[in-house]
Amino acid sequence: MKLRIPASSANLGPGFDCFGLAWQLYNEIEFEFSDELRVEGCDPRFANAENLAFQAVRRTAEAAGKACPAVAIRFVKTDIPVSRGLGSSAALIAGGVKAADALLKLHMSDDALLRVATEIEGHPDNVAPALFGGLTVSAAEGDTVLTRRFPLHERFHFVLLSPDFELSTAAARGVLPPSYPRADAVYNLSRTPLVLRALQDGDSELLRFAMRDKIHQPYRRSLIPGYDKVEALALASGACGFGISGAGSTQLAIFPDERAAQRFAASAGARFPAWRIQSARPDLTGTVIQ
Ligand code: HSE
């Protein structure tokens, strides 16, 4: 069977480790029963039993009390760049849990699939939109993982800017402090619901005010050469939101009008010719079996 799984951006400014948004930018992966484990069509670094798609099959089978099946996993399309903050790991995990559920006829609930996927990934912010699509807010406590989708106004235009270098999530988390001043917590707390409301209402002024952050971006921006220039260019081009996609290195710019988004993408492309700069539309379907 072939599955199509979307890329996703976590955080969206202040929603560190809880917000996620799926994109119409996909990996397609085939999973079949096989006589032995095979992983084909991906970077040779990942063509082994450590591959997260296989690990997700194994963990899902175990969670349902079944033996792990031998599977052949074939990457048919890999449009989600690796280690760029676009949920490539989450996409493998979402694909693996959905494939195991379907191949082994487990009929697991969405909550159960999300729980297994979150256990593997460590946090639910990318796996939730990868599984279910749309704009999601997720929370985990012990064995409980909850996610809900929020509405997204159609007026916004999104540009993803993926640099020509990887940034590991571990490195990007490693620069964060162990604790924060109360004022910084309040800064983010007060903005997270306002980002949701702005995205729901198409309120670009509110988004411009609310999509700021004191939890992760101030510490991570120096890991992304070019970040300051791209942010300045985006804001000067009329962006109503700008930030790091997940842990980076991709950056996300949000515009209230399409022509401004296109102009910005063209100027950023001229400035950073080696980067992959693309307009992106939200995905509302999540992982689907094709
Ligand atoms: N919320 C996570 C982070 C996303 O920013 O570190 C990457 O997995």
Side-chain angles (χ1 to χ4, degrees), residues 33-54:
F33 287 124
S34 171
D35 45 356
E36 57 174 11
L37 169 67
R38 282 203 303 273
V39 183
E40 297 166 351
C42 62
D43 185 322
R45 281 185 290 172
F46 309 121
N48 54 52
E50 299 308 310
N51 188 290
L52 279 173
F54 174 67

Side-chain angles (χ1 to χ4, degrees), residues 1-282:
M1 74 180 53
K2 187 165 87 175
L3 283 81
R4 188 187 76 173
I5 313 115
S8 54
S9 289
N11 303 332
L12 306 178
F16 180 67
D17 273 3
C18 52
F19 283 12
L21 175 55
W23 301 116
Q24 292 181 26
L25 173 69
Y26 300 105
N27 281 359
E28 290 176 3
I29 312 177
E30 281 177 355
F31 295 80
E32 305 288 350
F33 287 124
S34 171
D35 45 356
E36 57 174 11
L37 169 67
R38 282 203 303 273
V39 183
E40 297 166 351
C42 62
D43 185 322
R45 281 185 290 172
F46 309 121
N48 54 52
E50 299 308 310
N51 188 290
L52 279 173
F54 174 67
Q55 289 299 321
V57 170
R58 183 176 68 74
R59 297 276 288 267
T60 308
E62 280 171 11
K66 306 265 185 190
C68 176
V71 282
I73 298 175
R74 196 164 74 85
F75 289 78
V76 178
K77 183 165 136 183
T78 49
D79 282 353
I80 310 176
V82 173
S83 290
R84 297 295 198 290
L86 282 170
S88 61
S89 306
L92 300 186
I93 295 167
V97 296
K98 284 283 268 200
D101 181 60
L103 283 172
L104 298 171
K105 300 190 172 36
L106 302 175
H107 305 296
M108 287 168 70
S109 65
D110 283 351
D111 282 353
L113 294 173
L114 178 64
R115 189 164 54 240
V116 177
T118 302
E119 271 171 25
I120 302 168
E121 173 85 334
H123 31 90
D125 50 348
N126 280 109
V127 288
L131 279 168
F132 310 125
L135 169 64
T136 54
V137 181
S138 310
E141 186 161 353
D143 281 347
T144 305
V145 187
L146 295 177
T147 194
R148 292 292 183 271
R149 269 176 62 158
F150 287 76
L152 194 54
H153 200 280
E154 285 182 358
R155 81 173 289 195
F156 292 116
H157 297 270
F158 303 90
V159 179
L160 294 170
L161 306 106
S162 301
D164 53 343
F165 49 87
E166 298 184 355
L167 180 52
S168 84
T169 299
R173 292 181 87 81
V175 298
L176 303 182
S179 59
Y180 294 89
R182 184 193 302 173
D184 289 356
V186 171
Y187 186 95
N188 274 50
L189 266 177
S190 52
R191 279 163 181 75
T192 46
L194 296 179
V195 167
L196 292 180
R197 187 61 189 260
L199 290 174
Q200 171 175 351
D201 291 350
D203 187 337
S204 52
E205 286 310 311
L206 183 62
L207 190 64
R208 192 169 282 123
F209 176 81
M211 204 180 136
R212 296 183 195 156
D213 156 71
K214 291 207 172 179
I215 300 287
H216 64 114
Q217 293 179 171
Y219 307 97
R220 288 173 162 174
R221 55 193 299 153
S222 60
L223 300 177
I224 304 173
Y227 183 91
D228 292 351
K229 282 196 184 113
V230 180
E231 180 184 46
L233 182 61
L235 298 177
S237 307
C240 54
F242 185 83
I244 302 174
S245 171
S249 54
T250 294
Q251 294 133 75
L252 166 65
I254 307 179
F255 289 84
D257 96 82
E258 191 171 11
R259 257 196 247 157
Q262 286 168 348
R263 272 199 303 268
F264 163 70
S267 345
R271 197 82 68 91
F272 297 93
W275 291 22
R276 180 168 161 192
I277 296 169
Q278 57 194 324
S279 65
R281 290 175 188 278

